[in-house]
Coordinates of all heavy atoms in Angstrom, one line a residue:
M1 N -78.2 67.3 -88.5 CA -79.3 67.5 -87.6 C -80.6 67.7 -88.4 O -80.6 68.5 -89.3 CB -78.9 68.6 -86.6 CG -79.9 68.8 -85.5 SD -79.7 67.4 -84.4 CE -80.4 68.1 -82.9
L2 N -81.7 67.2 -87.9 CA -82.9 67.4 -88.6 C -83.6 68.7 -88.1 O -83.3 69.2 -87.0 CB -83.9 66.2 -88.2 CG -83.5 64.8 -88.7 CD1 -84.5 63.8 -88.2 CD2 -83.5 64.8 -90.2
S3 N -84.4 69.2 -89.0 CA -85.1 70.4 -88.6 C -86.3 70.1 -87.7 O -86.7 68.9 -87.6 CB -85.7 71.1 -89.9 OG -86.7 70.3 -90.5
T4 N -86.8 71.1 -87.1 CA -87.9 70.9 -86.1 C -89.1 70.1 -86.8 O -89.6 69.1 -86.3 CB -88.4 72.2 -85.5 OG1 -87.3 72.8 -84.8 CG2 -89.6 72.0 -84.6
P5 N -89.6 70.6 -88.0 CA -90.7 69.8 -88.6 C -90.3 68.4 -88.9 O -91.2 67.5 -88.8 CB -90.9 70.6 -89.9 CG -90.4 72.0 -89.7 CD -89.2 71.8 -88.7
E6 N -89.0 68.1 -89.3 CA -88.6 66.7 -89.6 C -88.7 65.9 -88.3 O -89.1 64.7 -88.3 CB -87.2 66.7 -90.2 CG -87.2 67.2 -91.6 CD -85.8 67.4 -92.1 OE1 -84.9 67.9 -91.4 OE2 -85.6 67.1 -93.3
W7 N -88.2 66.4 -87.1 CA -88.3 65.7 -85.9 C -89.8 65.4 -85.5 O -90.1 64.3 -85.1 CB -87.7 66.5 -84.7 CG -86.2 66.4 -84.7 CD1 -85.3 67.4 -84.9 CD2 -85.4 65.2 -84.5 NE1 -84.0 66.9 -84.8 CE2 -84.0 65.6 -84.6 CE3 -85.7 63.9 -84.2 CZ2 -83.0 64.7 -84.4 CZ3 -84.6 63.0 -84.0 CH2 -83.3 63.4 -84.1
V8 N -90.6 66.4 -85.6 CA -92.0 66.2 -85.3 C -92.7 65.2 -86.2 O -93.4 64.3 -85.7 CB -92.8 67.6 -85.4 CG1 -94.3 67.4 -85.2 CG2 -92.2 68.5 -84.3
S9 N -92.3 65.2 -87.5 CA -92.8 64.2 -88.4 C -92.4 62.8 -88.0 O -93.2 61.8 -88.0 CB -92.3 64.5 -89.8 OG -92.7 63.5 -90.7
L10 N -91.1 62.6 -87.6 CA -90.6 61.3 -87.2 C -91.5 60.8 -86.0 O -91.9 59.6 -86.0 CB -89.2 61.4 -86.7 CG -88.1 61.4 -87.8 CD1 -86.7 61.6 -87.2 CD2 -88.1 60.0 -88.5
C11 N -91.7 61.7 -85.0 CA -92.5 61.2 -83.9 C -94.0 61.0 -84.2 O -94.6 60.0 -83.8 CB -92.4 62.3 -82.8 SG -90.8 62.3 -82.0
A12 N -94.6 61.8 -85.0 CA -96.0 61.7 -85.4 C -96.2 60.4 -86.2 O -97.2 59.7 -86.0 CB -96.4 62.9 -86.3
E13 N -95.2 59.9 -87.0 CA -95.4 58.7 -87.7 C -94.9 57.5 -86.9 O -94.9 56.4 -87.4 CB -94.6 58.8 -89.0 CG -95.1 59.9 -89.9 CD -94.3 60.1 -91.2 OE1 -93.5 59.2 -91.5 OE2 -94.4 61.1 -91.8
R14 N -94.5 57.7 -85.7 CA -94.2 56.6 -84.8 C -92.9 55.8 -85.2 O -92.8 54.6 -85.0 CB -95.3 55.6 -84.5 CG -96.6 56.3 -84.1 CD -96.4 57.0 -82.7 NE -97.7 57.5 -82.2 CZ -97.9 58.8 -82.0 NH1 -96.9 59.7 -82.1 NH2 -99.0 59.2 -81.6
H15 N -92.0 56.5 -85.9 CA -90.8 55.8 -86.3 C -89.9 55.5 -85.0 O -90.0 56.2 -84.0 CB -89.9 56.7 -87.2 CG -90.5 56.8 -88.6 ND1 -90.6 55.8 -89.4 CD2 -91.1 57.9 -89.2 CE1 -91.1 56.2 -90.6 NE2 -91.4 57.4 -90.5
N16 N -89.1 54.5 -85.1 CA -88.1 54.2 -84.1 C -86.9 55.0 -84.5 O -86.5 55.1 -85.7 CB -87.8 52.7 -84.0 CG -89.1 51.9 -83.6 OD1 -89.8 52.4 -82.8 ND2 -89.3 50.8 -84.2
V17 N -86.2 55.5 -83.5 CA -85.1 56.5 -83.7 C -83.9 56.1 -82.9 O -84.1 55.7 -81.7 CB -85.5 57.9 -83.4 CG1 -84.4 58.9 -83.6 CG2 -86.7 58.3 -84.2
L18 N -82.7 56.1 -83.4 CA -81.4 56.0 -82.7 C -80.7 57.3 -82.8 O -80.4 57.8 -83.9 CB -80.6 54.8 -83.3 CG -79.2 54.7 -82.6 CD1 -79.3 54.3 -81.2 CD2 -78.4 53.7 -83.4
L19 N -80.4 57.9 -81.6 CA -79.6 59.1 -81.5 C -78.2 58.8 -81.1 O -78.1 58.2 -80.0 CB -80.3 60.1 -80.5 CG -81.8 60.4 -80.8 CD1 -82.3 61.2 -79.6 CD2 -81.9 61.2 -82.0
E20 N -77.2 59.2 -81.8 CA -75.9 59.0 -81.4 C -75.2 60.4 -81.1 O -75.3 61.3 -81.9 CB -75.1 58.3 -82.6 CG -73.7 58.1 -82.2 CD -72.9 57.4 -83.4 OE1 -73.5 56.6 -84.1 OE2 -71.7 57.8 -83.5
G21 N -74.6 60.5 -80.0 CA -73.9 61.7 -79.6 C -73.7 61.7 -78.1 O -73.9 60.8 -77.4
S22 N -73.2 62.8 -77.6 CA -72.9 63.0 -76.2 C -74.2 62.9 -75.4 O -75.3 63.1 -75.9 CB -72.2 64.3 -75.9 OG -73.1 65.4 -76.1
D23 N -74.1 62.6 -74.1 CA -75.2 62.5 -73.3 C -76.0 63.8 -73.3 O -77.2 63.9 -73.3 CB -74.8 62.2 -71.8 CG -74.5 60.7 -71.6 OD1 -75.0 59.9 -72.4 OD2 -73.7 60.4 -70.7
E24 N -75.3 64.9 -73.3 CA -75.9 66.3 -73.2 C -76.7 66.5 -74.5 O -77.8 67.0 -74.5 CB -74.9 67.4 -73.0 CG -75.4 68.7 -72.9 CD -74.4 69.8 -72.7 OE1 -73.3 69.5 -72.3 OE2 -74.7 71.0 -73.0
S25 N -76.1 66.2 -75.7 CA -76.8 66.5 -76.9 C -78.0 65.6 -77.1 O -79.1 66.1 -77.5 CB -75.8 66.5 -78.1 OG -75.3 65.2 -78.3
T26 N -77.9 64.3 -76.8 CA -79.0 63.4 -77.0 C -80.1 63.8 -75.9 O -81.3 63.7 -76.3 CB -78.6 62.0 -76.9 OG1 -78.0 61.7 -75.6 CG2 -77.7 61.6 -78.0
E27 N -79.7 64.2 -74.7 CA -80.7 64.6 -73.7 C -81.5 65.8 -74.2 O -82.7 65.8 -74.0 CB -80.1 64.8 -72.4 CG -81.1 65.1 -71.3 CD -80.4 65.2 -69.9 OE1 -79.5 64.5 -69.7 OE2 -80.9 66.1 -69.2
N28 N -80.8 66.7 -74.8 CA -81.5 67.9 -75.4 C -82.5 67.5 -76.4 O -83.7 68.0 -76.5 CB -80.5 68.9 -75.9 CG -79.8 69.6 -74.8 OD1 -80.2 69.7 -73.7 ND2 -78.6 70.1 -75.2
V29 N -82.2 66.6 -77.3 CA -83.1 66.1 -78.3 C -84.3 65.4 -77.7 O -85.4 65.6 -78.1 CB -82.4 65.3 -79.4 CG1 -83.4 64.6 -80.4 CG2 -81.3 66.1 -80.1
L30 N -84.0 64.5 -76.7 CA -85.1 63.8 -76.0 C -86.1 64.8 -75.4 O -87.3 64.6 -75.4 CB -84.5 62.8 -75.0 CG -83.8 61.6 -75.6 CD1 -83.1 60.8 -74.5 CD2 -84.8 60.7 -76.3
L31 N -85.5 65.8 -74.7 CA -86.4 66.8 -74.1 C -87.3 67.5 -75.1 O -88.5 67.7 -74.8 CB -85.6 67.8 -73.2 CG -85.0 67.2 -72.0 CD1 -84.0 68.2 -71.3 CD2 -86.0 66.7 -71.0
F32 N -86.7 67.8 -76.3 CA -87.5 68.4 -77.3 C -88.6 67.5 -77.8 O -89.7 67.9 -78.1 CB -86.6 68.8 -78.5 CG -87.3 69.2 -79.7 CD1 -87.9 70.5 -79.8 CD2 -87.4 68.4 -80.8 CE1 -88.5 70.9 -80.9 CE2 -88.1 68.8 -81.9 CZ -88.7 70.0 -82.0
L33 N -88.2 66.2 -78.0 CA -89.1 65.2 -78.6 C -90.2 64.8 -77.6 O -91.3 64.3 -78.1 CB -88.4 63.9 -79.0 CG -87.4 64.1 -80.2 CD1 -86.7 62.8 -80.4 CD2 -88.2 64.5 -81.5
A34 N -90.0 64.8 -76.3 CA -90.9 64.3 -75.3 C -92.4 64.6 -75.6 O -93.3 63.7 -75.5 CB -90.5 64.7 -73.9
P35 N -92.8 65.9 -75.9 CA -94.2 66.2 -76.1 C -94.8 65.5 -77.3 O -96.0 65.3 -77.4 CB -94.2 67.7 -76.2 CG -93.0 68.2 -75.7 CD -92.0 67.1 -75.9
Y36 N -94.0 65.0 -78.2 CA -94.5 64.4 -79.5 C -94.5 62.9 -79.4 O -95.0 62.2 -80.4 CB -93.6 64.9 -80.6 CG -93.6 66.4 -80.8 CD1 -92.5 67.1 -80.3 CD2 -94.6 67.1 -81.3 CE1 -92.4 68.5 -80.4 CE2 -94.6 68.5 -81.4 CZ -93.5 69.1 -80.9 OH -93.4 70.5 -81.0
L37 N -94.0 62.3 -78.4 CA -93.9 60.8 -78.3 C -95.3 60.2 -77.9 O -96.1 60.9 -77.3 CB -92.9 60.4 -77.2 CG -91.4 60.8 -77.5 CD1 -90.5 60.4 -76.4 CD2 -91.0 60.2 -78.8
C38 N -95.5 59.0 -78.3 CA -96.7 58.2 -77.9 C -96.8 58.2 -76.4 O -95.8 58.1 -75.7 CB -96.5 56.8 -78.3 SG -97.3 56.3 -79.8
R39 N -98.0 58.2 -75.9 CA -98.2 58.1 -74.5 C -98.7 56.7 -74.2 O -99.5 56.1 -75.0 CB -99.3 59.1 -74.0 CG -98.8 60.5 -74.2 CD -97.8 60.9 -73.2 NE -97.4 62.3 -73.3 CZ -96.2 62.7 -73.7 NH1 -95.3 61.8 -74.2 NH2 -95.9 63.9 -73.8
P40 N -98.3 56.1 -73.1 CA -97.4 56.6 -72.1 C -96.0 56.5 -72.6 O -95.6 55.7 -73.4 CB -97.6 55.7 -70.9 CG -98.1 54.4 -71.5 CD -98.9 54.8 -72.7
V41 N -95.1 57.3 -72.0 CA -93.7 57.2 -72.3 C -92.9 56.6 -71.1 O -93.1 57.0 -70.0 CB -93.1 58.6 -72.5 CG1 -91.6 58.5 -72.8 CG2 -93.8 59.3 -73.7
V42 N -92.2 55.5 -71.4 CA -91.4 54.8 -70.4 C -89.9 55.2 -70.6 O -89.4 54.9 -71.7 CB -91.6 53.3 -70.4 CG1 -90.7 52.6 -69.4 CG2 -93.1 53.0 -70.1
W43 N -89.3 55.8 -69.6 CA -87.9 56.2 -69.7 C -87.0 55.1 -69.0 O -87.3 54.8 -67.9 CB -87.7 57.5 -69.1 CG -88.3 58.7 -69.7 CD1 -89.7 59.0 -69.7 CD2 -87.8 59.6 -70.6 NE1 -90.0 60.1 -70.4 CE2 -88.8 60.5 -71.0 CE3 -86.5 59.8 -71.1 CZ2 -88.6 61.5 -71.9 CZ3 -86.3 60.9 -72.0 CH2 -87.3 61.7 -72.4
K44 N -86.0 54.7 -69.7 CA -85.0 53.8 -69.1 C -83.7 54.4 -69.1 O -83.0 54.4 -70.1 CB -85.0 52.4 -69.9 CG -84.2 51.4 -69.2 CD -83.1 50.9 -70.1 CE -82.1 50.0 -69.4 NZ -81.0 50.6 -68.8
P45 N -83.3 55.0 -67.9 CA -82.0 55.6 -67.9 C -80.9 54.5 -67.9 O -81.2 53.4 -67.7 CB -82.0 56.4 -66.5 CG -83.2 55.9 -65.8 CD -84.1 55.1 -66.7
P46 N -79.6 54.9 -68.1 CA -78.5 54.0 -68.1 C -78.5 53.2 -66.8 O -78.6 53.7 -65.8 CB -77.3 54.8 -68.3 CG -77.8 56.2 -68.7 CD -79.2 56.3 -68.3
H47 N -78.2 51.9 -67.0 CA -78.0 51.0 -65.9 C -79.2 50.8 -65.0 O -79.1 50.2 -63.9 CB -76.8 51.4 -65.0 CG -75.5 51.6 -65.9 ND1 -74.9 50.6 -66.6 CD2 -74.9 52.7 -66.2 CE1 -73.9 51.1 -67.3 NE2 -73.9 52.4 -67.1
A48 N -80.4 51.2 -65.4 CA -81.6 50.9 -64.6 C -82.2 49.6 -65.3 O -82.0 49.4 -66.4 CB -82.6 52.1 -64.7
P49 N -83.0 48.9 -64.5 CA -83.6 47.7 -65.1 C -84.5 48.1 -66.2 O -85.1 49.2 -66.2 CB -84.4 47.1 -63.9 CG -83.9 47.8 -62.7 CD -83.3 49.1 -63.1
V50 N -84.7 47.2 -67.2 CA -85.6 47.5 -68.3 C -87.0 47.4 -67.7 O -87.4 46.4 -67.1 CB -85.4 46.5 -69.4 CG1 -86.5 46.7 -70.5 CG2 -84.0 46.8 -70.1
A51 N -87.8 48.4 -68.0 CA -89.3 48.4 -67.7 C -90.0 48.7 -69.0 O -90.0 49.8 -69.5 CB -89.6 49.5 -66.7
L52 N -90.6 47.6 -69.6 CA -91.2 47.7 -70.9 C -92.6 48.1 -70.8 O -93.3 47.7 -69.9 CB -91.1 46.4 -71.6 CG -89.6 45.9 -71.8 CD1 -89.6 44.5 -72.3 CD2 -88.9 46.8 -72.7
P53 N -93.1 49.0 -71.7 CA -94.5 49.4 -71.6 C -95.4 48.2 -71.9 O -95.0 47.3 -72.7 CB -94.6 50.4 -72.8 CG -93.2 50.8 -73.1 CD -92.3 49.7 -72.7
T54 N -96.5 48.2 -71.3 CA -97.5 47.2 -71.6 C -98.8 47.8 -72.1 O -99.0 49.0 -71.9 CB -97.8 46.4 -70.3 OG1 -98.3 47.3 -69.3 CG2 -96.6 45.7 -69.7
G55 N -99.6 47.0 -72.7 CA -100.9 47.5 -73.3 C -100.7 48.1 -74.6 O -99.7 47.9 -75.3
G56 N -101.6 49.0 -75.0 CA -101.7 49.6 -76.3 C -100.4 50.3 -76.7 O -99.3 49.9 -76.5
R57 N -100.7 51.5 -77.4 CA -99.5 52.3 -77.8 C -98.7 52.8 -76.7 O -99.2 53.1 -75.6 CB -100.1 53.5 -78.6 CG -100.7 53.1 -79.9 CD -101.3 54.4 -80.6 NE -101.5 54.0 -82.0 CZ -100.7 54.4 -83.0 NH1 -99.7 55.1 -82.8 NH2 -101.0 54.0 -84.2
A58 N -97.4 52.9 -76.9 CA -96.5 53.4 -75.9 C -95.2 53.8 -76.6 O -94.9 53.3 -77.7 CB -96.3 52.4 -74.8
A59 N -94.4 54.6 -75.9 CA -93.1 54.9 -76.3 C -92.1 54.5 -75.3 O -92.3 54.6 -74.1 CB -92.9 56.4 -76.6
L60 N -91.0 53.9 -75.7 CA -89.9 53.5 -74.8 C -88.7 54.3 -75.2 O -88.2 54.3 -76.3 CB -89.6 52.0 -75.0 CG -88.4 51.4 -74.2 CD1 -88.6 51.5 -72.7 CD2 -88.2 50.0 -74.6
V61 N -88.1 55.0 -74.2 CA -86.9 55.7 -74.4 C -85.7 55.0 -73.7 O -85.7 54.9 -72.5 CB -87.0 57.2 -73.9 CG1 -85.7 58.0 -74.1 CG2 -88.2 57.9 -74.6
L62 N -84.8 54.5 -74.5 CA -83.6 53.8 -74.0 C -82.4 54.7 -74.0 O -81.9 55.0 -75.1 CB -83.4 52.5 -74.8 CG -84.4 51.5 -74.8 CD1 -84.2 50.4 -75.8 CD2 -84.5 50.8 -73.4
Q63 N -81.9 55.1 -72.9 CA -80.8 56.0 -72.9 C -79.5 55.1 -72.7 O -79.5 54.2 -72.0 CB -80.8 57.0 -71.7 CG -82.0 58.0 -71.9 CD -82.1 58.9 -70.7 OE1 -82.8 58.5 -69.8 NE2 -81.5 60.1 -70.8
N64 N -78.5 55.4 -73.6 CA -77.3 54.6 -73.6 C -77.5 53.2 -73.9 O -77.2 52.3 -73.1 CB -76.4 54.9 -72.4 CG -75.7 56.2 -72.5 OD1 -75.3 56.7 -73.5 ND2 -75.5 56.9 -71.3
V65 N -78.2 52.9 -75.0 CA -78.6 51.6 -75.3 C -77.4 50.6 -75.5 O -77.6 49.4 -75.2 CB -79.5 51.6 -76.6 CG1 -78.6 51.9 -77.8 CG2 -80.2 50.3 -76.8
W66 N -76.3 51.1 -75.7 CA -75.1 50.3 -75.9 C -74.8 49.6 -74.5 O -74.1 48.5 -74.5 CB -73.8 51.1 -76.3 CG -73.4 52.1 -75.3 CD1 -73.9 53.4 -75.3 CD2 -72.6 52.0 -74.2 NE1 -73.3 54.1 -74.2 CE2 -72.5 53.2 -73.5 CE3 -71.8 50.9 -73.7 CZ2 -71.7 53.4 -72.4 CZ3 -71.0 51.1 -72.6 CH2 -71.0 52.4 -72.0
A67 N -75.2 50.1 -73.4 CA -74.9 49.5 -72.1 C -75.9 48.5 -71.7 O -75.8 47.9 -70.6 CB -74.9 50.6 -71.1
L68 N -76.9 48.1 -72.5 CA -77.9 47.1 -72.1 C -77.2 45.7 -71.9 O -76.4 45.3 -72.7 CB -78.9 46.9 -73.2 CG -80.1 47.9 -73.3 CD1 -81.0 47.6 -74.5 CD2 -80.9 47.9 -72.0
S69 N -77.5 45.1 -70.8 CA -77.0 43.8 -70.6 C -77.6 42.8 -71.6 O -78.6 43.0 -72.2 CB -77.3 43.3 -69.2 OG -78.7 43.1 -69.0
R70 N -76.9 41.6 -71.7 CA -77.4 40.6 -72.7 C -78.8 40.2 -72.3 O -79.7 40.0 -73.2 CB -76.5 39.4 -72.7 CG -75.2 39.8 -73.5 CD -74.7 38.5 -74.2 NE -73.4 38.8 -74.8 CZ -73.2 39.3 -76.0 NH1 -74.3 39.5 -76.8 NH2 -72.0 39.5 -76.5
P71 N -79.1 39.9 -71.0 CA -80.5 39.5 -70.7 C -81.5 40.6 -71.0 O -82.6 40.4 -71.5 CB -80.5 39.3 -69.1 CG -79.0 38.9 -68.9 CD -78.2 39.8 -69.9
D72 N -81.1 41.9 -70.8 CA -82.0 43.0 -71.1 C -82.2 43.1 -72.6 O -83.3 43.4 -73.1 CB -81.5 44.3 -70.6 CG -81.7 44.5 -69.1 OD1 -82.5 43.7 -68.5 OD2 -81.1 45.4 -68.5
Q73 N -81.1 42.8 -73.4 CA -81.2 42.8 -74.9 C -82.2 41.8 -75.3 O -83.1 42.0 -76.2 CB -79.9 42.6 -75.5 CG -78.9 43.8 -75.4 CD -77.6 43.4 -75.9 OE1 -77.5 42.7 -76.9 NE2 -76.5 43.9 -75.3
A74 N -82.1 40.6 -74.7 CA -83.0 39.5 -75.1 C -84.5 39.8 -74.7 O -85.4 39.6 -75.5 CB -82.6 38.2 -74.4
E75 N -84.7 40.4 -73.6 CA -86.0 40.8 -73.2 C -86.6 41.9 -74.1 O -87.8 41.8 -74.5 CB -86.0 41.3 -71.7 CG -87.4 41.7 -71.2 CD -87.3 42.2 -69.7 OE1 -86.3 42.1 -69.1 OE2 -88.4 42.6 -69.3
L76 N -85.8 42.8 -74.5 CA -86.2 43.9 -75.4 C -86.6 43.3 -76.8 O -87.6 43.6 -77.3 CB -85.1 45.0 -75.5 CG -85.4 46.1 -76.5 CD1 -86.6 46.9 -76.1 CD2 -84.2 47.0 -76.6
L77 N -85.7 42.4 -77.3 CA -85.9 41.8 -78.6 C -87.2 41.0 -78.6 O -88.1 41.1 -79.5 CB -84.8 40.9 -79.0 CG -84.9 40.3 -80.3 CD1 -85.0 41.3 -81.5 CD2 -83.7 39.4 -80.6
Q78 N -87.4 40.2 -77.5 CA -88.7 39.4 -77.4 C -89.9 40.4 -77.4 O -90.9 40.1 -78.0 CB -88.6 38.6 -76.2 CG -89.8 37.7 -76.0 CD -89.7 36.8 -74.8 OE1 -88.8 36.9 -74.0 NE2 -90.7 35.9 -74.7
W79 N -89.8 41.5 -76.6 CA -90.9 42.4 -76.5 C -91.2 43.0 -77.9 O -92.4 43.1 -78.3 CB -90.6 43.5 -75.5 CG -91.5 44.6 -75.4 CD1 -92.8 44.6 -74.8 CD2 -91.4 45.9 -75.9 NE1 -93.4 45.8 -74.9 CE2 -92.5 46.7 -75.5 CE3 -90.3 46.6 -76.6 CZ2 -92.7 48.0 -75.8 CZ3 -90.5 47.9 -76.9 CH2 -91.7 48.6 -76.5
L80 N -90.2 43.4 -78.6 CA -90.3 44.0 -79.9 C -90.9 43.0 -80.9 O -91.8 43.4 -81.7 CB -89.0 44.5 -80.5 CG -88.5 45.8 -79.8 CD1 -87.0 46.0 -80.2 CD2 -89.3 47.0 -80.1
E81 N -90.5 41.8 -80.9 CA -90.9 40.8 -81.9 C -92.3 40.2 -81.5 O -93.1 39.9 -82.4 CB -89.9 39.6 -81.9 CG -88.6 39.9 -82.6 CD -87.7 38.8 -82.5 OE1 -87.8 37.8 -81.7 OE2 -86.7 38.8 -83.4
N82 N -92.7 40.2 -80.3 CA -94.0 39.5 -79.9 C -95.1 40.5 -79.6 O -96.2 40.1 -79.4 CB -93.8 38.7 -78.7 CG -92.8 37.5 -79.0 OD1 -92.8 37.0 -80.1 ND2 -92.0 37.1 -78.0
S83 N -94.8 41.8 -79.7 CA -95.9 42.8 -79.4 C -96.8 42.9 -80.6 O -96.4 43.1 -81.7 CB -95.2 44.1 -79.1 OG -96.2 45.1 -78.8
T84 N -98.1 42.9 -80.3 CA -99.1 43.1 -81.4 C -99.4 44.5 -81.5 O -99.9 44.9 -82.6 CB -100.4 42.3 -81.1 OG1 -100.9 42.7 -79.8 CG2 -100.1 40.8 -81.1
D85 N -99.1 45.3 -80.5 CA -99.4 46.8 -80.6 C -98.2 47.5 -81.1 O -97.0 47.0 -81.0 CB -99.6 47.3 -79.2 CG -100.9 46.7 -78.5 OD1 -101.9 46.6 -79.3 OD2 -100.8 46.3 -77.4
R86 N -98.4 48.6 -81.7 CA -97.3 49.4 -82.3 C -96.6 50.2 -81.2 O -97.2 50.9 -80.4 CB -97.9 50.4 -83.3 CG -96.9 51.3 -84.0 CD -95.9 50.5 -84.9 NE -95.1 51.4 -85.6 CZ -93.8 51.6 -85.3 NH1 -93.2 50.9 -84.4 NH2 -93.1 52.4 -86.1
K87 N -95.3 49.9 -81.1 CA -94.5 50.6 -80.1 C -93.6 51.5 -80.8 O -93.2 51.3 -81.9 CB -93.7 49.6 -79.3 CG -94.5 48.4 -78.7 CD -95.5 48.9 -77.6 CE -96.2 47.8 -77.0 NZ -97.3 48.1 -76.2
Q88 N -93.2 52.6 -80.0 CA -92.3 53.6 -80.5 C -91.0 53.5 -79.6 O -91.2 53.5 -78.4 CB -92.9 54.9 -80.4 CG -92.0 56.1 -80.9 CD -92.7 57.4 -80.8 OE1 -93.5 57.6 -79.9 NE2 -92.4 58.3 -81.7
V89 N -89.9 53.3 -80.2 CA -88.6 53.2 -79.4 C -87.7 54.3 -79.9 O -87.4 54.5 -81.1 CB -88.0 51.8 -79.6 CG1 -86.7 51.8 -78.8 CG2 -88.9 50.7 -79.3
V90 N -87.2 55.1 -78.9 CA -86.2 56.1 -79.1 C -85.0 55.7 -78.3 O -85.1 55.5 -77.1 CB -86.6 57.5 -78.8 CG1 -85.5 58.5 -79.0 CG2 -87.9 57.9 -79.5
S91 N -83.8 55.4 -78.9 CA -82.6 55.0 -78.2 C -81.5 56.0 -78.4 O -81.4 56.7 -79.4 CB -82.1 53.7 -78.8 OG -83.2 52.7 -78.8
T92 N -80.7 56.1 -77.4 CA -79.5 57.0 -77.5 C -78.3 56.2 -77.3 O -78.3 55.1 -76.6 CB -79.5 58.1 -76.5 OG1 -79.3 57.6 -75.2 CG2 -80.8 58.9 -76.5
T93 N -77.1 56.6 -77.8 CA -75.9 56.0 -77.6 C -74.8 57.0 -77.7 O -74.8 57.9 -78.5 CB -75.6 54.8 -78.6 OG1 -74.3 54.2 -78.3 CG2 -75.6 55.3 -80.0
V94 N -73.8 56.8 -76.8 CA -72.6 57.7 -76.8 C -71.5 57.0 -77.6 O -70.5 57.6 -78.0 CB -72.1 58.1 -75.4 CG1 -73.1 59.0 -74.7 CG2 -71.7 56.9 -74.6
Q95 N -71.7 55.7 -77.9 CA -70.7 54.9 -78.7 C -71.4 54.5 -79.9 O -72.5 54.0 -79.9 CB -70.2 53.7 -77.8 CG -69.5 54.1 -76.6 CD -68.9 52.9 -75.9 OE1 -69.0 51.8 -76.3 NE2 -68.4 53.1 -74.7
P96 N -70.6 54.5 -81.1 CA -71.2 54.0 -82.3 C -71.5 52.5 -82.1 O -70.8 51.8 -81.5 CB -70.1 54.2 -83.3 CG -69.2 55.2 -82.8 CD -69.3 55.1 -81.3
L97 N -72.7 52.1 -82.7 CA -73.1 50.7 -82.6 C -72.6 49.9 -83.8 O -72.6 50.3 -84.9 CB -74.6 50.6 -82.4 CG -75.2 51.3 -81.2 CD1 -76.7 51.1 -81.2 CD2 -74.6 50.7 -79.9

């Protein structure tokens, strides 16, 4: 587990992060990180349709990324590859990828 300054540094530098662990533990980390994420923050809970941020800087939080459907994976990949703006993505998974 990273220390508080290390987590804050990850967010401040706009790194993309994958959190692996139980729903409870990753949710606790997400709640801690929320104030440090790029604004606006778009939350995608498990099994909800993908809603990708548009416009300038933004953060996308993908909970249980392992459950993304193939069409959602394709849409996410296209968004990541074609975006000219810097996006921040924080993903969680309960299953190793």
